[in-house]
Amino acid sequence: MPGFGRWNNATWILLLGIFHSCFSSYSEDQCSWRGSGLSQQQGSVEQISLHCSEGTLDWLYPKGALRLTLTPRLAPVAAAGPGGGVITACVKPSEQFHGAQLYLERDGLLELLVGDRMEASPPPRVRCFSRTPGERLALFLQATPHQDISRRTASFRYELRGGWMARMALDSNAISREDACRPCNDTEILMAVCTSDFVVRGNIQSVEEDETLRAAVIKVSATRVFRQKYTLFTGSGRLASRGEVRTLLQCGVRPGPGSFLFTGRVHFGEAWLGCAPRYKDFQRTYSVAKAAQQIPCELPVD
């Protein structure tokens, strides 16, 4: 099956239509769904509707088709955020993703996102895409025929975010190195301090490679945790908190001296780097903006 093509097969499934209304009675809850193809009639299409910004789908013994619409109830600020109303969706297939193929449909063209994984092939990686206001996107999941479907499960986690800029995406295919790795300007830094899931001052202890995600894993020794939405940096007593932050491998991050202000988002339970200026540069930027009464939020700077 080629990566691109016209929708001309009724057995393909509309898996994900962002902000497209549909009625369904098959979802387990508002965020996740788990079901089996064994209960489906040949050629039938299951109807599913979920309404969260993140969740999971587990399709055991893929057979026939599913039809899932996703209508997340994003907060108005998130939906309109700095991305100008852009909604970014990411899917993270499980390492045991088998029995189906996942496609993105945009303007009538299909792009293969996740293929039916063979036993010896590497684990599938996160794939992301964006929806602009008024644009209609869909994902198609096609069950692939197998004589033995007893060990096949097509599972993935999904996330949708408003205002998640391309430079912070996990999927590096659609991002140029310049966009992904350029330093943040002063305005972006000040906004990152206010809107990030974590804001931490710290030093780079080491940098390792995550080949599965094609990411650099930055080991951070945090001297001050200004804010963290999730428990990412932990420590006890007077010991510095420690944690990990990921960024694209192509950015070439290396360990070195100096204190940085790490900001970013949490995706699929992992911290991903947004803006990370040297702390002294951030102090200067923050002081100038505060004197001009142009800071979007307060931060207790040292």
Side-chain angles (χ1 to χ4, degrees):
M1 182 69 65
F4 293 86
R6 290 282 175 182
W7 179 20
N8 56 11
N9 190 331
T11 64
W12 286 353
I13 48 174
L14 176 58
L15 183 90
L16 174 65
I18 301 176
F19 295 119
H20 177 60
S21 61
C22 174
F23 297 96
S24 168
S25 59
Y26 295 90
S27 54
E28 290 182 347
D29 56 37
Q30 295 294 297
C31 302
S32 300
W33 181 88
R34 181 180 177 88
S36 169
L38 295 179
S39 62
Q40 293 184 227
Q41 297 284 337
Q42 186 67 31
S44 65
V45 179
E46 294 275 0
Q47 302 288 331
I48 306 166
S49 181
L50 301 176
H51 305 285
C52 297
S53 59
E54 58 186 72
T56 60
L57 183 142
D58 299 305
W59 193 20
L60 284 67
Y61 321 121
K63 177 184 175 184
L66 302 178
R67 186 177 191 272
L68 167 65
T69 59
L70 194 64
T71 53
R73 301 185 180 99
L74 296 176
V77 173
V86 174
I87 302 298
T88 298
C90 286
V91 292
K92 183 178 183 179
S94 68
E95 293 187 3
Q96 290 76 37
F97 187 96
H98 293 294
Q101 291 180 309
L102 181 61
Y103 295 84
L104 169 67
E105 188 271 333
R106 189 192 301 270
D107 296 330
L109 296 177
L110 293 175
E111 175 187 353
L112 180 64
L113 297 181
V114 182
D116 188 359
R117 180 170 175 261
M118 300 295 102
E119 295 295 337
S121 61
R125 52 191 177 78
V126 174
R127 298 302 305 271
C128 302
F129 54 91
S130 296
R131 168 200 177 274
T132 57
E135 185 179 22
R136 298 181 64 178
L137 300 179
L139 289 177
F140 294 89
L141 188 67
Q142 180 185 16
T144 52
H146 293 278
Q147 289 185 345
D148 179 12
I149 63 172
S150 62
R151 297 183 180 181
R152 303 187 185 279
T153 302
S155 299
F156 63 85
R157 298 168 64 183
Y158 71 85
E159 285 188 349
L160 288 92
R161 295 288 186 266
W164 180 15
M165 304 306 289
R167 59 183 285 110
M168 300 177 67
L170 287 75
D171 178 9
S172 60
N173 275 2
I175 313 171
S176 69
R177 177 169 179 165
E178 290 74 16
D179 289 337
C181 306
R182 68 170 177 83
C184 293
N185 59 38
D186 290 350
T187 300
E188 290 170 333
I189 291 172
L190 293 173
M191 286 302 300
V193 167
C194 303
T195 60
S196 294
D197 291 336
F198 61 91
V199 181
V200 174
R201 178 184 180 181
N203 306 306
I204 300 177
Q205 298 299 299
S206 64
V207 179
E208 301 176 358
E209 292 187 7
D210 184 330
E211 292 296 340
T212 301
L213 292 176
R214 295 193 298 184
V217 181
I218 306 169
K219 305 286 187 177
V220 175
S221 175
T223 56
R224 185 169 184 179
V225 178
F226 293 100
R227 182 175 70 253
Q228 56 178 340
K229 188 175 180 180
Y230 307 92
T231 305
L232 304 169
F233 298 86
T234 58
S236 59
R238 296 183 178 180
L239 297 177
S241 299
R242 297 184 181 277
E244 297 179 353
V245 180
R246 286 164 170 76
T247 191
L248 298 181
L249 192 61
Q250 66 200 62
C251 294
V253 176
R254 296 289 183 268
S259 180
F260 296 84
L261 186 72
F262 297 95
T263 69
R265 302 277 186 171
V266 175
H267 301 290
F268 300 116
E270 298 171 336
W272 284 81
L273 190 65
C275 298
R278 288 191 176 273
Y279 193 73
K280 62 180 181 180
D281 295 335
F282 164 71
Q283 285 179 306
R284 180 172 58 253
T285 298
Y286 184 85
S287 298
V288 170
K290 186 173 184 179
Q293 298 184 340
Q294 294 180 344
I295 54 173
C297 65
E298 293 275 352
L299 192 74
V301 178
D302 298 337

